[in-house]
PDB file of all heavy atoms in Angstrom:
ATOM      1  N   THR A 180      44.217 124.690  93.277  1.00  0.00           N
ATOM      2  CA  THR A 180      44.046 123.276  93.584  1.00  0.00           C
ATOM      3  C   THR A 180      42.554 122.980  93.814  1.00  0.00           C
ATOM      4  O   THR A 180      41.859 123.753  94.493  1.00  0.00           O
ATOM      5  CB  THR A 180      44.846 122.916  94.856  1.00  0.00           C
ATOM      6  OG1 THR A 180      46.234 122.967  94.504  1.00  0.00           O
ATOM      7  CG2 THR A 180      44.516 121.568  95.405  1.00  0.00           C
ATOM      8  N   THR A 181      42.096 121.877  93.260  1.00  0.00           N
ATOM      9  CA  THR A 181      40.705 121.455  93.486  1.00  0.00           C
ATOM     10  C   THR A 181      40.671 120.258  94.442  1.00  0.00           C
ATOM     11  O   THR A 181      41.661 119.480  94.549  1.00  0.00           O
ATOM     12  CB  THR A 181      40.023 121.044  92.167  1.00  0.00           C
ATOM     13  OG1 THR A 181      40.628 119.863  91.683  1.00  0.00           O
ATOM     14  CG2 THR A 181      40.086 122.154  91.146  1.00  0.00           C
ATOM     15  N   ILE A 182      39.524 120.113  95.106  1.00  0.00           N
ATOM     16  CA  ILE A 182      39.292 118.969  96.002  1.00  0.00           C
ATOM     17  C   ILE A 182      37.872 118.510  95.808  1.00  0.00           C
ATOM     18  O   ILE A 182      36.931 119.331  95.887  1.00  0.00           O
ATOM     19  CB  ILE A 182      39.637 119.289  97.479  1.00  0.00           C
ATOM     20  CG1 ILE A 182      39.294 118.094  98.386  1.00  0.00           C
ATOM     21  CG2 ILE A 182      38.943 120.558  97.979  1.00  0.00           C
ATOM     22  CD1 ILE A 182      39.856 118.209  99.799  1.00  0.00           C
ATOM     23  N   ASN A 183      37.708 117.235  95.522  1.00  0.00           N
ATOM     24  CA  ASN A 183      36.375 116.674  95.270  1.00  0.00           C
ATOM     25  C   ASN A 183      36.322 115.289  95.896  1.00  0.00           C
ATOM     26  O   ASN A 183      37.359 114.715  96.210  1.00  0.00           O
ATOM     27  CB  ASN A 183      36.073 116.606  93.795  1.00  0.00           C
ATOM     28  CG  ASN A 183      36.001 118.007  93.160  1.00  0.00           C
ATOM     29  OD1 ASN A 183      35.030 118.711  93.378  1.00  0.00           O
ATOM     30  ND2 ASN A 183      37.015 118.349  92.393  1.00  0.00           N
ATOM     31  N   ALA A 184      35.115 114.757  96.013  1.00  0.00           N
ATOM     32  CA  ALA A 184      34.979 113.432  96.662  1.00  0.00           C
ATOM     33  C   ALA A 184      34.202 112.468  95.781  1.00  0.00           C
ATOM     34  O   ALA A 184      33.247 112.825  95.085  1.00  0.00           O
ATOM     35  CB  ALA A 184      34.257 113.565  97.990  1.00  0.00           C
ATOM     36  N   VAL A 185      34.653 111.204  95.819  1.00  0.00           N
ATOM     37  CA  VAL A 185      33.876 110.112  95.233  1.00  0.00           C
ATOM     38  C   VAL A 185      33.153 109.439  96.407  1.00  0.00           C
ATOM     39  O   VAL A 185      33.736 109.213  97.476  1.00  0.00           O
ATOM     40  CB  VAL A 185      34.807 109.093  94.511  1.00  0.00           C
ATOM     41  CG1 VAL A 185      33.999 107.965  93.939  1.00  0.00           C
ATOM     42  CG2 VAL A 185      35.616 109.801  93.451  1.00  0.00           C
ATOM     43  N   MET A 186      31.874 109.147  96.212  1.00  0.00           N
ATOM     44  CA  MET A 186      31.078 108.493  97.242  1.00  0.00           C
ATOM     45  C   MET A 186      30.674 107.066  96.756  1.00  0.00           C
ATOM     46  O   MET A 186      29.660 106.937  96.049  1.00  0.00           O
ATOM     47  CB  MET A 186      29.823 109.315  97.557  1.00  0.00           C
ATOM     48  CG  MET A 186      30.143 110.678  98.087  1.00  0.00           C
ATOM     49  SD  MET A 186      28.708 111.814  97.980  1.00  0.00           S
ATOM     50  CE  MET A 186      27.627 111.100  99.179  1.00  0.00           C
ATOM     51  N   PRO A 187      31.489 106.081  97.100  1.00  0.00           N
ATOM     52  CA  PRO A 187      31.188 104.733  96.616  1.00  0.00           C
ATOM     53  C   PRO A 187      29.984 104.123  97.328  1.00  0.00           C
ATOM     54  O   PRO A 187      29.693 104.411  98.499  1.00  0.00           O
ATOM     55  CB  PRO A 187      32.446 103.942  96.966  1.00  0.00           C
ATOM     56  CG  PRO A 187      33.475 104.917  97.352  1.00  0.00           C
ATOM     57  CD  PRO A 187      32.745 106.117  97.867  1.00  0.00           C
ATOM     58  N   GLY A 188      29.288 103.265  96.571  1.00  0.00           N
ATOM     59  CA  GLY A 188      28.308 102.389  97.229  1.00  0.00           C
ATOM     60  C   GLY A 188      29.073 101.187  97.753  1.00  0.00           C
ATOM     61  O   GLY A 188      30.118 101.336  98.400  1.00  0.00           O
ATOM     62  N   ASN A 189      28.599  99.966  97.464  1.00  0.00           N
ATOM     63  CA  ASN A 189      29.291  98.764  97.959  1.00  0.00           C
ATOM     64  C   ASN A 189      30.225  98.263  96.901  1.00  0.00           C
ATOM     65  O   ASN A 189      29.794  97.797  95.840  1.00  0.00           O
ATOM     66  CB  ASN A 189      28.259  97.686  98.344  1.00  0.00           C
ATOM     67  CG  ASN A 189      27.746  97.947  99.755  1.00  0.00           C
ATOM     68  OD1 ASN A 189      28.129  97.299 100.683  1.00  0.00           O
ATOM     69  ND2 ASN A 189      26.870  98.945  99.897  1.00  0.00           N
TER      70      ASN A 189
END
Side-chain angles (χ1 to χ4, degrees):
T180 290
T181 67
I182 177 169
N183 295 288
V185 180
M186 298 163 69
N189 278 257

